[in-house]
Amino acid sequence: MKGLNTALGAAGLAAFLALGEAVPRLGLVKADYFPPTSRIARAFGTELSDGAFWSALGDTLTGWAVGLAVAVGAGIVAGVAISVVPHLREATASTIEFLRPIPSVALIPLAILLYGTELRSVLLLVVYAAFWQVLIQVMYGVQDVDPVAEETARSYGLGTWARVRHVLWPTALPYVMTGVRLAAAVALILTITAELVIGAPGLGQRIAVAQTSQAVPEMYALIVVTGLLGLVINVGARSVERRALAWHQSVRGEVTV
């Protein structure tokens, strides 16, 4: 079954690439706006041989990784604290519901005013967007803790931190990993968006430069790179999730199937 799925996926990708080659050559769309797959592939190869491309890729990965790390750390600490400290969840509920729906792109003017085109502008947007993904999942995870297990731990004299480690954390971990996986994707989106709009160094800036200079094949090649980067990040996040939750029934069932 796995081999069949792989074959079908490869066939679908080949058909998509062939369609991308045929549509502009048949005149259905202008090649100036949507070049054939072969031209995009050549531009992709040119980018890979350019040192500036690798520097831009490094800038993008730096903004993504640092922003994600800060967001995950802050989200876990805040989520556990809000859920464990009495009445803190009720006290912060309205503030969270007010701030969470604000689109991160709405903070772009503020980021530019504060930090210009520096890395800190990117981090501001990335951390704000990814933080909520982790925080909400952590709060759901803590809320899902079995009251019987909690009371049993109390009856055995476990302190607060011992209960967090042995009762709360194992229950919340699947939710945490889901939040991290979602945050990883959101962080990449905001990193590219910030570079594209603000002009911070990275792949997004190179896409904007290629677009303004009418280097259309190069622009599409860079867009393909961002797509591949997102795919790698998603696969990596799922791999980490499986390893961290190897003991959990959801992953064990997935492996069994």
Side-chain angles (χ1 to χ4, degrees):
M1 180 63 70
K2 184 176 180 180
L4 177 61
N5 291 337
T6 302
L8 290 174
L13 178 60
F16 176 76
L17 295 175
L19 182 64
E21 181 73 21
V23 167
R25 293 193 181 280
L26 293 174
L28 299 179
V29 296
K30 289 186 177 181
D32 292 339
Y33 304 139
F34 188 83
T37 302
S38 57
R39 288 180 59 190
I40 297 175
R42 287 196 296 271
F44 181 78
T46 302
E47 287 291 332
L48 294 181
S49 63
D50 187 355
F53 163 79
W54 294 105
S55 177
L57 178 61
D59 291 331
T60 295
L61 289 176
T62 299
W64 169 80
V66 174
L68 179 63
V70 173
V72 169
I76 291 175
V77 172
V80 172
I82 291 173
S83 301
V84 171
V85 177
H87 307 300
L88 187 57
R89 182 164 187 151
E90 292 77 8
T92 58
S94 57
T95 302
I96 291 174
E97 291 304 317
F98 170 73
L99 294 175
R100 186 164 64 95
I102 298 177
S104 295
V105 292
L107 301 179
I108 288 178
L110 175 62
I112 294 175
L113 286 174
L114 291 176
Y115 306 119
T117 60
E118 297 179 15
L119 175 62
R120 288 183 292 180
S121 294
V122 177
L123 294 180
L124 174 63
L125 302 178
V126 171
V127 171
Y128 186 85
F131 169 78
W132 302 111
Q133 310 296 324
V134 180
L135 175 70
I136 299 303
Q137 289 296 324
V138 171
M139 293 174 64
Y140 281 144
V142 175
Q143 190 177 14
D144 199 39
V145 172
D146 187 354
V148 175
E150 176 73 14
E151 290 302 321
T152 302
R154 289 179 182 274
S155 67
Y156 276 96
L158 270 67
T160 301
W161 290 113
R163 293 198 305 273
V164 168
R165 178 182 177 184
H166 297 291
V167 179
L168 184 152
W169 184 248
T171 302
L173 186 57
Y175 294 85
V176 173
M177 296 310 301
T178 298
V180 171
R181 178 160 49 84
L182 295 173
V186 169
L188 178 64
I189 293 171
L190 265 297
T191 301
I192 301 296
T193 301
E195 294 168 350
L196 186 64
V197 177
I198 296 176
L203 293 176
Q205 184 192 56
R206 284 183 68 85
I207 292 173
V209 171
Q211 187 268 330
T212 54
S213 60
Q214 300 300 312
V216 179
E218 288 75 11
M219 181 189 73
Y220 279 104
L222 290 166
I223 293 173
V224 169
V225 171
T226 62
L228 293 174
L229 191 57
L231 177 62
V232 170
I233 287 173
N234 184 61
V235 171
R238 286 188 175 277
S239 177
V240 171
E241 184 177 19
R242 291 192 197 98
R243 288 179 178 274
L245 300 177
W247 52 271
H248 196 267
Q249 181 59 39
S250 60
V251 174
R252 290 167 60 192
E254 180 181 331
V255 173
T256 301
V257 172

